[in-house]
Amino acid sequence: MNFPGPMTDDNTVNPGEEIQTMEDQQEATRVPSLQILIFKAAHRELAVPILEVKEILKPYTLTRIPNTPRFVLGVCNLRGEIIPIIDLKEKFLGETPEVTRRSRIIVVEHESHKFGLLVDEVKHVARVPEAEIEDPEKMDQEEWAANFYGFTLIEEQIVFILQTQNLLFETGQGQPA
Amino acid sequence: MTTASSNYLELFLEESLEQVDQLNLALLELEKDFSQQEIINEIFRVIHSLKSAAAFVGQDSLSSLCHKMESLLQEVRDGERAMDKTFVNLLFKGFDIINDNIKQLESTGNVTGLDDQYAEITRELEKLAGGGAAPSKKEARKKGGQVRLSAEQKKQVKEFLSQGEIVWQIRVLLEPNTPMKSLRVDLAVQGLLRLDGELLFTIPDNRSEEGDQGLPDEFLIFFASRTEPRVLHDAVNVDMVRQIRLKKINPDRLTGGASRSEKKQKEAKTVRPKKPESADQKNAKPKTETAAQNGNGNGPAEAKNGKNGKSPRPAEHRPVTQKSVRVSTDKLDTLINEVGELVIANSGFQKIQEDLSGILGQHPLVSDFSGRIDRMARIARQLQDVIINTRMFPIGPVFHRFHRLVRDLSEDKGKQVRLEILGEDTELDKEVVDLIGEPLMHLIRNSVDHGLESEADRLAAGKDPAGTVQLNAYQSGNQINIEITDDGRGLNAGVIKNKIAEKGLATMATLEELSDQEIFEYIFHPGFSTAKEVTDISGRGVGMNVVKKMVDDHKGEIQIETYPGEGTMFTLVFPLTMAIISAIMVKMKHEVYAIPLSDVIETIRVPRGEITTLENQEIINLRGEILPLIHLNQLMNIEGDLLVDEEDQVSVVVVHFNKKKAGFIVEGFIGKQEIVIKNIERNYQHVPGVAGAAILGDGQIVLILDVKEFLNLAGMGRSGNVEERGSGSWSLRSGNQSQSDEEIESLNKEIRILIEENALQKTSFELSGTNQALNPEADWQHLVEQALSQAPAESPPAGTTPPIPSPSQGSVEPVTPEPQATGTTTWETSGPGSQAETVDEAGTGPDDGDPHSLLSPFLEDVDEKEKESIMSEWQNKPDEPEDKAPSRQFAADVSSPEEKAPATSGELLPGFADAEMRQLEKMTHTGLANAGLVLSQLLGMEVSISAPTIRQYQVEELIEEFEANKQTVEIQVGFLGEIQGFLVVFFDLESAQRVGEILLGTKEELHQELASEDLQSAMMEITNIVGASVLNSIADQTEVDLTPDVPHYFQRDVRQFIQGLGLKNKTVLYLNTDFVTPQRQVTARMLIFLDFLEVRSLLKIWDEHQTE
């Protein structure tokens, strides 16, 4: 699978650059809240906790691994480390991945496992008060709950916050409500 | 156990096991001849340090056992007790208990159930000691601060005294219950060491790693120094010191006292002074040699203790402490990984170099580049070797551990057994060394138990009644072989068959069909080992299958060779290292996979017609053998049929697995390659059939096949139809990849149309399966190509590159008109010898922060947006699927000259900002360095060419640079090619004369007349060399066509030259460098006039000169 872009550190996109809409810093300190990186993937606004985000890359050369779930696009060489890349569109919708110039790989690390999420577009970082995060159980499909930490409303958009540890492995497919 | 001591537990475990090995080994040696004092001393020493260490980590029973053994040994050392078999056996027994203790501690973290054994051994030791309590330790110190020194220490003191030194005995009394006594002593000693003098030794030894509890409150430091006592006093007066007494050692007393004190010591032993046994004293170090030598106690029982385990130990032999650091294997592995990365990164350069030479051909820059790349690669590989070597340990200590086993077995079975050890210096991966012990033990036991006949049988067979078991280790190629050979009766296939049948492992009928080799392999079967063996000796082994498992786990194999009546040889074969493997790279469609070479028997190409199907399994007849074929592409879920080449042949990798063979059908072989194994599981999970991944030189990841697992997946013999087995994880990609190649192709077509419509914004995306692999190479071509034709075509946004005034804007302000500022670094070329170094330095020049390096626009200078568009563009090109396979061809296409054309002269050097002049300097640097070398060789003297400085001058300023009214030899070389300009080399007349003397052996008077034609041509030759070098280096670095024209010779006043330039009030850019020989016999100066604003004028003048 060939993504555009050479394998250099230069691929690293500084989240600060990408995300100019950092906001509400002061408010954040008052209530328990979660900082999340919002991105577009699988035709949704999704997010991951910012603390789990290691870096954001432009898509680049990828090696397919046979006999793995379809949403595991393959592995990438991240400065000598081999990290699996997951396509969220494939995982959630079963749709064929697609890479555009806005596509990015968000490298997340969960319990020292690193892996990349192929997303359509990285949006911005936001701080969400814990109280405003809805329980994933409220979502329609139960099997989906495992993949989500919760959802919230940001700028009148529903943002689904991913539970990263479950993403790498097979869970039910379907569409969040 | 205290918290502090638990930190040392790990160290203790590691060291103490070595020490027990060392003890066993030494004791075995001693058994041969009880009078070997040296060995008794060694045992004593080791027991002593074991005792101290054990006490430190709270292993009191162990420590006290050591103490008792030590006491008895002391008596032997003192000649009060004879060493005998009883004592040796008791010691062996003691060592076993210690060993059990340590092993238990290691595996469970605490020790239980050894009390009885300890009690028993203690009883026996006490009985041996003549009943009653073990004798208390001799007092290290006598009253009144007198101390008995060991002979060695005395000798040391005497030596110093004989050199006229003053030796001080410094008594340091610490406050009672001082914590961290050893630290205080260290501090005191450190204080002394800062003074002018030399430390002899301390009593107790400050270097010992003993815990505080073993240390007394009083220390003696022997220090040779002429420093005043007061200063010494101050130096040792550290915190918690109660009292310090300094005493000058009297040479006479020492000499006289030596024998006396020795005698006393003996007496003391016999008399056994009844001192109350305080804890301190009990553990206090004896003042004998032990203290001084204790530092040696940690050395592992080095392999050299007698080749073959029977040659006598040389008297002077003593295990020496290796200068070593214990490093965690994790750190080592990280290091190995990083260096692996380095090697990989480097091979990336090699690829670039190949690509560059594809574009540039036989360019000097290319050869320069490749020379350097080679050197880098060499260094990286050496580094890798060294680091991989740090994982390597000699097998000797492991081998020598078995002396004891063989001894015990020999007594047990009533067989005489000799253990021969060969190749003990052979080094193995630490992992293997750590694990090989147990398998070897089983093999040795097997050899002694079953291999060697009874003495009677041996005699009857006309053999030496003593059987031999030989251990040997050696390296062959990339493998380490470990052989266990006995000269026994050999394996009997018939007996084994019966046993197999008896155990119900196979039916006799099946067995009849097997070869002897295959029968023999049953001895490694888990069920084969008899129960008796299991309980025997090791008590936890499960027999030969342990051997098999361990070997399998480490990618090794076992070979059995047996000759009835003559013996059996087991050979364990391991790969040299676990981190790097050789692999065959194979291609399947557009993917590349690595198959470990250790699994591969051969690679063959088979005409398709020879493939037949047997019971739904494709097979071929390979030299009379039926070889099942497996379509690797199907297992890999790569769609497509049998992959056939133009000659209708399929490529097959023949692999072996459990002595069976199979053929993997692949699309093609790429070659053999050394790869570093990377773990996929680290960030993901185990993938069936995939052993790991490797990163190739271009950063591409290639999966390494796990052949064994793959054959299992394939059912080894059934068709490789994956879906049939219905495993969840297997149904994934293939099912979804229902798109045929055509469908994918049409998708790609759609994508291409999109790209064409919106070329700079949309990027292509290829569907999984049609993939990667061969593209990066082509990508590189594009990258280079892009770099060459770069910025001008792209019209970079403002602010990305330095502002470039176009030539039409007229003259540029002179930037740094500092005619007299030298600031040049001298370029030393000291003849051919230093060539490599010089060239190297020159080479680093152009790289440093060179803003115009080929790739920089992509990596640094170009902003986000542009980069994206560039990337997408270069992505587009190799997108033609039909272009992919012959990527080399493709590479050649893009590097055609037309493509490079945009790099023309006008754009190339459009303006001269400061930075750009520095760059020009760098450009010429390499050339000048090379020229220096050539000249040095040619002239037979060192010629230094200074690093060039480039400045913009007003022409009249040039005149100030030269001495006016001076005749010079002036040689002009015009440039041919895209850049217009010329260079001039000026020699003063004396220098020119000397060149004549040196090169031609003639002395010409140039002040009066023109140089002879010979000299003229010699001078022109020199200039030509320099000019060509410089131009080459500029050409190399700018990709412009630039060669020197024929040189022209002038002999005239410099002024004439400058005036001739006709550049009054104009700016000229000139490169100034000097070249000087050591004695200043020849000095010359070079100016380079590069095409700039005055191209026309320069040209005109140049033309005029030519017509002159």
Side-chain angles (χ1 to χ4, degrees), chain B residues 358-394:
Chain B
I359 299 168
L360 300 173
Q362 296 286 3
H363 211 283
L365 182 63
V366 174
S367 55
D368 190 24
F369 186 62
S370 50
R372 256 158 241 202
I373 293 292
D374 285 349
R375 191 159 166 234
M376 278 273 283
R378 219 168 30 244
I379 294 169
R381 273 196 305 271
Q382 276 167 4
L383 193 60
Q384 193 177 37
D385 286 350
V386 170
I387 288 174
I388 284 174
N389 226 341
T390 58
R391 275 183 71 102
M392 306 298 269
F393 281 79

mmCIF file of all heavy atoms in Angstrom, chain B residues 358-394:
data_model
loop_
_atom_site.group_PDB
_atom_site.id
_atom_site.type_symbol
_atom_site.label_atom_id
_atom_site.label_comp_id
_atom_site.label_asym_id
_atom_site.label_seq_id
_atom_site.Cartn_x
_atom_site.Cartn_y
_atom_site.Cartn_z
ATOM 1 N N GLY B 358 23.254 6.009 -11.545
ATOM 2 C CA GLY B 358 22.369 5.796 -12.676
ATOM 3 C C GLY B 358 22.078 7.098 -13.402
ATOM 4 O O GLY B 358 21.964 7.138 -14.617
ATOM 5 N N ILE B 359 21.994 8.160 -12.641
ATOM 6 C CA ILE B 359 21.653 9.449 -13.241
ATOM 7 C C ILE B 359 22.893 10.157 -13.755
ATOM 8 O O ILE B 359 22.927 10.690 -14.855
ATOM 9 C CB ILE B 359 20.974 10.357 -12.186
ATOM 10 C CG1 ILE B 359 19.699 9.703 -11.693
ATOM 11 C CG2 ILE B 359 20.673 11.722 -12.776
ATOM 12 C CD1 ILE B 359 19.131 10.384 -10.464
ATOM 13 N N LEU B 360 23.922 10.122 -12.941
ATOM 14 C CA LEU B 360 25.080 10.950 -13.251
ATOM 15 C C LEU B 360 26.168 10.183 -13.981
ATOM 16 O O LEU B 360 27.128 10.766 -14.461
ATOM 17 C CB LEU B 360 25.662 11.533 -11.959
ATOM 18 C CG LEU B 360 24.700 12.416 -11.139
ATOM 19 C CD1 LEU B 360 25.323 12.773 -9.824
ATOM 20 C CD2 LEU B 360 24.327 13.665 -11.918
ATOM 21 N N GLY B 361 26.040 8.854 -14.001
ATOM 22 C CA GLY B 361 27.064 8.083 -14.683
ATOM 23 C C GLY B 361 28.366 8.089 -13.908
ATOM 24 O O GLY B 361 28.386 8.176 -12.688
ATOM 25 N N GLN B 362 29.452 8.045 -14.646
ATOM 26 C CA GLN B 362 30.770 7.945 -14.015
ATOM 27 C C GLN B 362 31.250 9.303 -13.556
ATOM 28 O O GLN B 362 32.298 9.764 -13.949
ATOM 29 C CB GLN B 362 31.780 7.345 -15.005
ATOM 30 C CG GLN B 362 31.483 5.935 -15.415
ATOM 31 C CD GLN B 362 31.807 4.955 -14.322
ATOM 32 O OE1 GLN B 362 32.199 5.346 -13.227
ATOM 33 N NE2 GLN B 362 31.648 3.678 -14.590
ATOM 34 N N HIS B 363 30.487 9.903 -12.741
ATOM 35 C CA HIS B 363 30.848 11.233 -12.305
ATOM 36 C C HIS B 363 31.819 11.148 -11.143
ATOM 37 O O HIS B 363 31.683 10.277 -10.296
ATOM 38 C CB HIS B 363 29.574 11.962 -11.872
ATOM 39 C CG HIS B 363 29.660 13.409 -12.117
ATOM 40 N ND1 HIS B 363 30.373 14.227 -11.295
ATOM 41 C CD2 HIS B 363 29.142 14.172 -13.095
ATOM 42 C CE1 HIS B 363 30.272 15.464 -11.767
ATOM 43 N NE2 HIS B 363 29.540 15.445 -12.854
ATOM 44 N N PRO B 364 32.807 12.042 -11.105
ATOM 45 C CA PRO B 364 33.751 11.978 -9.974
ATOM 46 C C PRO B 364 33.035 12.121 -8.631
ATOM 47 O O PRO B 364 33.433 11.488 -7.661
ATOM 48 C CB PRO B 364 34.659 13.181 -10.200
ATOM 49 C CG PRO B 364 34.539 13.497 -11.637
ATOM 50 C CD PRO B 364 33.184 13.069 -12.077
ATOM 51 N N LEU B 365 31.992 12.899 -8.609
ATOM 52 C CA LEU B 365 31.280 13.082 -7.338
ATOM 53 C C LEU B 365 30.666 11.767 -6.887
ATOM 54 O O LEU B 365 30.646 11.451 -5.713
ATOM 55 C CB LEU B 365 30.186 14.142 -7.496
ATOM 56 C CG LEU B 365 29.411 14.442 -6.206
ATOM 57 C CD1 LEU B 365 30.333 15.023 -5.158
ATOM 58 C CD2 LEU B 365 28.253 15.367 -6.477
ATOM 59 N N VAL B 366 30.224 11.026 -7.877
ATOM 60 C CA VAL B 366 29.594 9.752 -7.546
ATOM 61 C C VAL B 366 30.622 8.815 -6.931
ATOM 62 O O VAL B 366 30.364 8.162 -5.921
ATOM 63 C CB VAL B 366 28.950 9.116 -8.786
ATOM 64 C CG1 VAL B 366 28.427 7.726 -8.455
ATOM 65 C CG2 VAL B 366 27.826 9.997 -9.291
ATOM 66 N N SER B 367 31.796 8.790 -7.536
ATOM 67 C CA SER B 367 32.786 7.861 -6.995
ATOM 68 C C SER B 367 33.267 8.350 -5.635
ATOM 69 O O SER B 367 33.516 7.558 -4.728
ATOM 70 C CB SER B 367 33.956 7.698 -7.966
ATOM 71 O OG SER B 367 34.508 8.946 -8.261
ATOM 72 N N ASP B 368 33.356 9.649 -5.504
ATOM 73 C CA ASP B 368 33.715 10.224 -4.211
ATOM 74 C C ASP B 368 32.674 9.811 -3.174
ATOM 75 O O ASP B 368 32.982 9.306 -2.101
ATOM 76 C CB ASP B 368 33.739 11.753 -4.352
ATOM 77 C CG ASP B 368 34.331 12.426 -3.124
ATOM 78 O OD1 ASP B 368 35.114 11.745 -2.425
ATOM 79 O OD2 ASP B 368 34.019 13.600 -2.887
ATOM 80 N N PHE B 369 31.446 10.005 -3.559
ATOM 81 C CA PHE B 369 30.322 9.671 -2.681
ATOM 82 C C PHE B 369 30.358 8.193 -2.318
ATOM 83 O O PHE B 369 30.279 7.820 -1.152
ATOM 84 C CB PHE B 369 29.019 10.014 -3.421
ATOM 85 C CG PHE B 369 27.777 9.854 -2.596
ATOM 86 C CD1 PHE B 369 27.587 10.616 -1.455
ATOM 87 C CD2 PHE B 369 26.793 8.946 -2.969
ATOM 88 C CE1 PHE B 369 26.438 10.478 -0.702
ATOM 89 C CE2 PHE B 369 25.645 8.808 -2.221
ATOM 90 C CZ PHE B 369 25.474 9.577 -1.086
ATOM 91 N N SER B 370 30.532 7.366 -3.322
ATOM 92 C CA SER B 370 30.458 5.937 -3.023
ATOM 93 C C SER B 370 31.641 5.507 -2.158
ATOM 94 O O SER B 370 31.501 4.621 -1.314
ATOM 95 C CB SER B 370 30.361 5.104 -4.297
ATOM 96 O OG SER B 370 31.347 5.481 -5.199
ATOM 97 N N GLY B 371 32.776 6.156 -2.375
ATOM 98 C CA GLY B 371 33.921 5.854 -1.523
ATOM 99 C C GLY B 371 33.598 6.109 -0.068
ATOM 100 O O GLY B 371 33.870 5.299 0.811
ATOM 101 N N ARG B 372 32.973 7.211 0.134
ATOM 102 C CA ARG B 372 32.640 7.577 1.509
ATOM 103 C C ARG B 372 31.550 6.698 2.087
ATOM 104 O O ARG B 372 31.577 6.320 3.247
ATOM 105 C CB ARG B 372 32.179 9.024 1.535
ATOM 106 C CG ARG B 372 33.275 9.894 2.082
ATOM 107 C CD ARG B 372 33.081 11.275 1.643
ATOM 108 N NE ARG B 372 34.244 11.641 0.869
ATOM 109 C CZ ARG B 372 34.584 12.886 0.702
ATOM 110 N NH1 ARG B 372 33.881 13.834 1.214
ATOM 111 N NH2 ARG B 372 35.659 13.156 0.005
ATOM 112 N N ILE B 373 30.590 6.426 1.238
ATOM 113 C CA ILE B 373 29.505 5.542 1.677
ATOM 114 C C ILE B 373 30.096 4.212 2.099
ATOM 115 O O ILE B 373 29.733 3.638 3.133
ATOM 116 C CB ILE B 373 28.495 5.332 0.533
ATOM 117 C CG1 ILE B 373 27.776 6.629 0.224
ATOM 118 C CG2 ILE B 373 27.523 4.232 0.880
ATOM 119 C CD1 ILE B 373 26.869 7.097 1.307
ATOM 120 N N ASP B 374 31.042 3.720 1.292
ATOM 121 C CA ASP B 374 31.650 2.433 1.613
ATOM 122 C C ASP B 374 32.316 2.500 2.970
ATOM 123 O O ASP B 374 32.212 1.584 3.775
ATOM 124 C CB ASP B 374 32.679 2.049 0.548
ATOM 125 C CG ASP B 374 32.006 1.592 -0.729
ATOM 126 O OD1 ASP B 374 30.775 1.398 -0.677
ATOM 127 O OD2 ASP B 374 32.693 1.440 -1.746
ATOM 128 N N ARG B 375 33.002 3.600 3.181
ATOM 129 C CA ARG B 375 33.727 3.721 4.433
ATOM 130 C C ARG B 375 32.739 3.749 5.609
ATOM 131 O O ARG B 375 32.923 3.065 6.611
ATOM 132 C CB ARG B 375 34.540 5.019 4.403
ATOM 133 C CG ARG B 375 35.499 5.072 5.535
ATOM 134 C CD ARG B 375 36.639 6.030 5.294
ATOM 135 N NE ARG B 375 37.306 6.252 6.557
ATOM 136 C CZ ARG B 375 37.514 7.453 7.071
ATOM 137 N NH1 ARG B 375 37.157 8.538 6.417
ATOM 138 N NH2 ARG B 375 38.107 7.562 8.228
ATOM 139 N N MET B 376 31.697 4.540 5.427
ATOM 140 C CA MET B 376 30.667 4.609 6.457
ATOM 141 C C MET B 376 30.085 3.232 6.723
ATOM 142 O O MET B 376 29.902 2.823 7.861
ATOM 143 C CB MET B 376 29.534 5.524 5.985
ATOM 144 C CG MET B 376 29.787 6.970 6.173
ATOM 145 S SD MET B 376 29.266 7.452 7.820
ATOM 146 C CE MET B 376 27.501 7.524 7.561
ATOM 147 N N ALA B 377 29.799 2.541 5.637
ATOM 148 C CA ALA B 377 29.186 1.221 5.779
ATOM 149 C C ALA B 377 30.129 0.301 6.527
ATOM 150 O O ALA B 377 29.708 -0.493 7.363
ATOM 151 C CB ALA B 377 28.859 0.656 4.401
ATOM 152 N N ARG B 378 31.411 0.436 6.198
ATOM 153 C CA ARG B 378 32.397 -0.419 6.855
ATOM 154 C C ARG B 378 32.400 -0.134 8.359
ATOM 155 O O ARG B 378 32.367 -1.044 9.174
ATOM 156 C CB ARG B 378 33.777 -0.154 6.260
ATOM 157 C CG ARG B 378 34.574 -1.421 6.101
ATOM 158 C CD ARG B 378 35.818 -1.250 5.246
ATOM 159 N NE ARG B 378 36.435 0.043 5.255
ATOM 160 C CZ ARG B 378 36.539 0.826 4.195
ATOM 161 N NH1 ARG B 378 36.045 0.439 3.040
ATOM 162 N NH2 ARG B 378 37.130 1.994 4.279
ATOM 163 N N ILE B 379 32.425 1.135 8.670
ATOM 164 C CA ILE B 379 32.449 1.502 10.095
ATOM 165 C C ILE B 379 31.194 0.993 10.784
ATOM 166 O O ILE B 379 31.251 0.400 11.855
ATOM 167 C CB ILE B 379 32.560 3.033 10.252
ATOM 168 C CG1 ILE B 379 33.920 3.500 9.722
ATOM 169 C CG2 ILE B 379 32.391 3.431 11.703
ATOM 170 C CD1 ILE B 379 34.048 4.990 9.591
ATOM 171 N N ALA B 380 30.079 1.199 10.130
ATOM 172 C CA ALA B 380 28.812 0.768 10.745
ATOM 173 C C ALA B 380 28.818 -0.737 10.960
ATOM 174 O O ALA B 380 28.388 -1.232 11.992
ATOM 175 C CB ALA B 380 27.630 1.183 9.869
ATOM 176 N N ARG B 381 29.334 -1.447 9.972
ATOM 177 C CA ARG B 381 29.349 -2.910 10.115
ATOM 178 C C ARG B 381 30.288 -3.347 11.225
ATOM 179 O O ARG B 381 29.986 -4.251 11.993
ATOM 180 C CB ARG B 381 29.747 -3.572 8.796
ATOM 181 C CG ARG B 381 28.558 -3.802 7.871
ATOM 182 C CD ARG B 381 28.916 -4.779 6.781
ATOM 183 N NE ARG B 381 30.096 -4.370 6.040
ATOM 184 C CZ ARG B 381 30.070 -3.589 4.973
ATOM 185 N NH1 ARG B 381 28.913 -3.136 4.534
ATOM 186 N NH2 ARG B 381 31.166 -3.264 4.354
ATOM 187 N N GLN B 382 31.435 -2.659 11.285
ATOM 188 C CA GLN B 382 32.371 -2.998 12.366
ATOM 189 C C GLN B 382 31.730 -2.762 13.717
ATOM 190 O O GLN B 382 31.819 -3.590 14.623
ATOM 191 C CB GLN B 382 33.642 -2.158 12.249
ATOM 192 C CG GLN B 382 34.643 -2.751 11.272
ATOM 193 C CD GLN B 382 35.745 -1.769 10.916
ATOM 194 O OE1 GLN B 382 35.808 -0.672 11.462
ATOM 195 N NE2 GLN B 382 36.608 -2.163 10.004
ATOM 196 N N LEU B 383 31.074 -1.626 13.787
ATOM 197 C CA LEU B 383 30.390 -1.277 15.021
ATOM 198 C C LEU B 383 29.377 -2.363 15.375
ATOM 199 O O LEU B 383 29.276 -2.815 16.512
ATOM 200 C CB LEU B 383 29.684 0.066 14.835
ATOM 201 C CG LEU B 383 29.172 0.771 16.071
ATOM 202 C CD1 LEU B 383 30.317 1.058 17.006
ATOM 203 C CD2 LEU B 383 28.499 2.068 15.664
ATOM 204 N N GLN B 384 28.677 -2.781 14.362
ATOM 205 C CA GLN B 384 27.680 -3.809 14.571
ATOM 206 C C GLN B 384 28.342 -5.106 15.055
ATOM 207 O O GLN B 384 27.864 -5.740 15.994
ATOM 208 C CB GLN B 384 26.931 -4.052 13.271
ATOM 209 C CG GLN B 384 25.686 -4.871 13.463
ATOM 210 C CD GLN B 384 24.933 -5.038 12.170
ATOM 211 O OE1 GLN B 384 25.535 -5.178 11.106
ATOM 212 N NE2 GLN B 384 23.620 -5.037 12.242
ATOM 213 N N ASP B 385 29.436 -5.448 14.412
ATOM 214 C CA ASP B 385 30.144 -6.662 14.826
ATOM 215 C C ASP B 385 30.537 -6.572 16.282
ATOM 216 O O ASP B 385 30.345 -7.502 17.061
ATOM 217 C CB ASP B 385 31.403 -6.866 13.974
ATOM 218 C CG ASP B 385 31.060 -7.344 12.579
ATOM 219 O OD1 ASP B 385 29.875 -7.687 12.374
ATOM 220 O OD2 ASP B 385 31.942 -7.360 11.713
ATOM 221 N N VAL B 386 31.109 -5.428 16.624
ATOM 222 C CA VAL B 386 31.579 -5.262 17.994
ATOM 223 C C VAL B 386 30.417 -5.389 18.968
ATOM 224 O O VAL B 386 30.502 -6.086 19.976
ATOM 225 C CB VAL B 386 32.261 -3.885 18.165
ATOM 226 C CG1 VAL B 386 32.527 -3.615 19.628
ATOM 227 C CG2 VAL B 386 33.553 -3.844 17.378
ATOM 228 N N ILE B 387 29.333 -4.723 18.628
ATOM 229 C CA ILE B 387 28.223 -4.721 19.566
ATOM 230 C C ILE B 387 27.558 -6.077 19.644
ATOM 231 O O ILE B 387 27.206 -6.553 20.716
ATOM 232 C CB ILE B 387 27.221 -3.610 19.209
ATOM 233 C CG1 ILE B 387 27.873 -2.283 19.557
ATOM 234 C CG2 ILE B 387 25.931 -3.786 19.948
ATOM 235 C CD1 ILE B 387 27.107 -1.090 19.154
ATOM 236 N N ILE B 388 27.466 -6.708 18.503
ATOM 237 C CA ILE B 388 26.890 -8.048 18.544
ATOM 238 C C ILE B 388 27.805 -8.944 19.360
ATOM 239 O O ILE B 388 27.365 -9.825 20.084
ATOM 240 C CB ILE B 388 26.673 -8.572 17.123
ATOM 241 C CG1 ILE B 388 25.441 -7.882 16.545
ATOM 242 C CG2 ILE B 388 26.483 -10.075 17.127
ATOM 243 C CD1 ILE B 388 25.182 -8.178 15.126
ATOM 244 N N ASN B 389 29.082 -8.650 19.256
ATOM 245 C CA ASN B 389 30.054 -9.415 20.009
ATOM 246 C C ASN B 389 29.872 -9.291 21.513
ATOM 247 O O ASN B 389 30.216 -10.198 22.266
ATOM 248 C CB ASN B 389 31.455 -8.945 19.629
ATOM 249 C CG ASN B 389 32.338 -10.130 19.388
ATOM 250 O OD1 ASN B 389 32.024 -11.243 19.831
ATOM 251 N ND2 ASN B 389 33.428 -9.922 18.705
ATOM 252 N N THR B 390 29.337 -8.157 21.935
ATOM 253 C CA THR B 390 29.147 -8.002 23.371
ATOM 254 C C THR B 390 28.133 -9.004 23.893
ATOM 255 O O THR B 390 28.080 -9.273 25.073
ATOM 256 C CB THR B 390 28.645 -6.587 23.727
ATOM 257 O OG1 THR B 390 27.429 -6.346 23.038
ATOM 258 C CG2 THR B 390 29.661 -5.536 23.378
ATOM 259 N N ARG B 391 27.355 -9.517 23.005
ATOM 260 C CA ARG B 391 26.402 -10.551 23.414
ATOM 261 C C ARG B 391 27.046 -11.921 23.450
ATOM 262 O O ARG B 391 26.428 -12.890 23.847
ATOM 263 C CB ARG B 391 25.234 -10.594 22.430
ATOM 264 C CG ARG B 391 24.134 -9.626 22.714
ATOM 265 C CD ARG B 391 23.034 -9.828 21.705
ATOM 266 N NE ARG B 391 22.345 -11.083 21.944
ATOM 267 C CZ ARG B 391 21.165 -11.143 22.549
ATOM 268 N NH1 ARG B 391 20.583 -10.054 22.946
ATOM 269 N NH2 ARG B 391 20.565 -12.290 22.742
ATOM 270 N N MET B 392 28.265 -11.989 22.978
ATOM 271 C CA MET B 392 28.897 -13.286 22.839
ATOM 272 C C MET B 392 29.707 -13.630 24.078
ATOM 273 O O MET B 392 30.464 -12.813 24.584
ATOM 274 C CB MET B 392 29.813 -13.280 21.617
ATOM 275 C CG MET B 392 29.108 -12.849 20.342
ATOM 276 S SD MET B 392 27.769 -13.939 19.879
ATOM 277 C CE MET B 392 28.670 -15.062 18.847
ATOM 278 N N PHE B 393 29.558 -14.846 24.532
ATOM 279 C CA PHE B 393 30.304 -15.288 25.693
ATOM 280 C C PHE B 393 30.961 -16.628 25.376
ATOM 281 O O PHE B 393 30.394 -17.438 24.648
ATOM 282 C CB PHE B 393 29.354 -15.456 26.885
ATOM 283 C CG PHE B 393 29.006 -14.163 27.522
ATOM 284 C CD1 PHE B 393 28.046 -13.335 26.956
ATOM 285 C CD2 PHE B 393 29.647 -13.748 28.672
ATOM 286 C CE1 PHE B 393 27.733 -12.120 27.530
ATOM 287 C CE2 PHE B 393 29.322 -12.536 29.253
ATOM 288 C CZ PHE B 393 28.370 -11.722 28.678
ATOM 289 N N PRO B 394 32.136 -16.843 25.933
ATOM 290 C CA PRO B 394 32.784 -18.124 25.677
ATOM 291 C C PRO B 394 32.012 -19.252 26.349
ATOM 292 O O PRO B 394 31.431 -19.074 27.425
ATOM 293 C CB PRO B 394 34.181 -17.960 26.296
ATOM 294 C CG PRO B 394 34.061 -16.839 27.243
ATOM 295 C CD PRO B 394 32.969 -15.948 26.745
#
